[in-house]
Amino acid sequence: MNAGERMPSRSGRRPVEAEEDDTYLPPRKAVHPSERGKWTRIFYLILLWLFVILVISLTVWGIKYSDAYAS
């Protein structure tokens, strides 16, 4: 008896195939979409408006107090 007869061939095995389910489940991303893009957009809009308000308020403050020391 040689080694080939004693041991079954591993190449003859078939991989276990997953059976297809009767019910289809969509990917989790499709069922529960991420709101990351929505919150990122809101964050950047708030950041932009805060910057605009800061620039306007500093400009008004600078104009208001620059006349006091000019005289």
Side-chain angles (χ1 to χ4, degrees):
M1 243 162 99
N2 62 18
E5 293 174 2
R6 285 182 287 174
M7 299 180 76
S9 173
R10 292 186 182 185
S11 63
R13 294 183 192 172
R14 281 189 265 155
V16 177
E17 295 179 13
E19 296 180 12
E20 294 202 23
D21 294 332
D22 293 337
T23 59
Y24 168 74
L25 294 175
R28 187 183 186 285
K29 279 188 172 183
V31 177
H32 304 285
S34 175
E35 293 187 5
R36 176 175 281 180
K38 175 185 171 185
W39 289 108
T40 303
R41 185 168 188 262
I42 291 172
F43 173 73
Y44 283 125
L45 282 174
I46 290 172
L47 202 61
L48 174 70
W49 281 108
L50 285 174
F51 179 73
V52 168
I53 291 169
L54 177 68
V55 169
I56 291 171
S57 61
L58 286 175
T59 303
V60 169
W61 180 68
I63 291 170
K64 179 179 177 182
Y65 289 106
S66 67
D67 292 336
Y69 298 110
S71 300

